[in-house]
Amino acid sequence: MGVVPDTRIGKIEFYEAHALAGGPWATNAAGIGLTPASVTALSTLTIAARNAFNAAEAARQAAKAATQAYYDAVRAMHSGPGAGQDMIDTIRNWAESKDNPNVYALAQIPPPATPGTTPPPGTPFKFRVGLLQDGALELKWKCNNPGGTVGTIYEIRRAVGGGAFAFVGASGVKSFTDDTLVSGAAPVTYRITAVRSTARGNPAQFTVNFGTGGPGRTIAGITSAGDGADVRMAA
């Protein structure tokens, strides 16, 4: 550990305690190998450092107060009662009550933006199918949904051997494990639809064909219909 503290204020306080009048260096200069003149010079430097610190602290406090005053002034200008934002609201209400869009041109402010319609969710594509050890199928896909949207759910329906589609589950992520598929060689077609609130994307579907003749379930191939043409078996 050093003799003198690392911080600037710590250094000032150290030399104030040692070099100023009445301190051990000033009182015992000859006995510790120093000269009174050198201790006096250090005392002068120490006093100057303390004065500079005090001035810096005063400047910091003044800057802090000035910054707060600046923030308060801008807030009063924009958000105060009857100030800028209230005037903008008044102009907009006036334009709406008069059904006159020229009011915005006179005020040189833009009219309110027309609310846009968020497009429906995207269509799933790039299907991947993996066969788990317990015979369940792990389905994965990609889907490009409109930017800024949240809450998309993927609805999964399944048809076995060319039969009718039945709902088998939903997923909040772009994957789903079908562990309810019974054993058999009939092909299975999945239809996946992205859903957000009342908006539905275009469904995409793909068919999994199973192998025959071997022990357990194996995947012989995958075919797709429509936009989801890129399908692969998971590695």
Side-chain angles (χ1 to χ4, degrees):
M1 180 177 178
V3 174
V4 180
D6 292 332
T7 63
R8 292 183 179 89
I9 186 60
K11 288 180 170 64
I12 292 173
E13 291 172 345
F14 175 86
Y15 289 116
E16 284 178 333
H18 289 75
L20 296 188
W25 292 4
T27 303
N28 305 307
I32 58 176
L34 301 177
T35 65
S38 65
V39 175
T40 299
L42 179 58
S43 175
T44 300
L45 294 174
T46 302
I47 293 171
R50 169 59 74 176
N51 290 338
F53 170 79
N54 292 341
E57 279 297 297
R60 272 193 287 268
Q61 293 302 319
K64 183 177 179 181
T67 300
Q68 187 59 54
Y70 158 54
Y71 291 167
D72 292 343
V74 172
R75 187 179 300 109
M77 172 188 67
H78 177 64
S79 304
Q85 185 60 59
D86 282 353
M87 290 184 179
I88 292 172
D89 293 341
T90 298
I91 293 169
R92 287 176 171 169
N93 291 335
W94 178 263
E96 184 176 347
S97 68
K98 299 299 182 181
D99 193 22
N100 183 5
N102 290 329
V103 170
Y104 297 109
L106 290 174
Q108 296 187 23
I109 64 172
T114 302
T117 301
T118 303
T123 301
F125 66 101
K126 281 194 176 180
F127 297 105
R128 302 287 188 275
V129 180
L131 182 61
L132 303 181
Q133 290 184 347
D134 61 0
L137 294 183
E138 183 182 52
L139 317 178
K140 294 184 178 181
W141 60 90
K142 294 184 180 296
C143 188
N144 295 328
N145 295 309
T149 59
V150 295
T152 300
I153 299 295
Y154 298 93
E155 179 185 274
I156 298 94
R157 294 180 179 273
R158 182 185 67 203
V160 179
F165 280 96
F167 177 81
V168 292
S171 175
V173 295
K174 298 167 188 174
S175 64
F176 178 77
T177 299
D178 185 1
D179 55 6
T180 63
L181 183 63
V182 298
S183 299
V188 178
T189 300
Y190 290 95
R191 178 180 292 167
I192 302 177
T193 307
V195 181
R196 185 186 67 251
S197 185
T198 58
R200 299 176 65 86
N202 291 323
Q205 65 185 54
F206 62 96
T207 300
V208 181
N209 299 295
F210 298 105
T212 59
R217 175 179 289 164
T218 59
I219 297 177
I222 308 170
T223 58
S224 178
D227 294 334
D230 184 3
V231 294
R232 301 179 188 177
M233 287 184 287

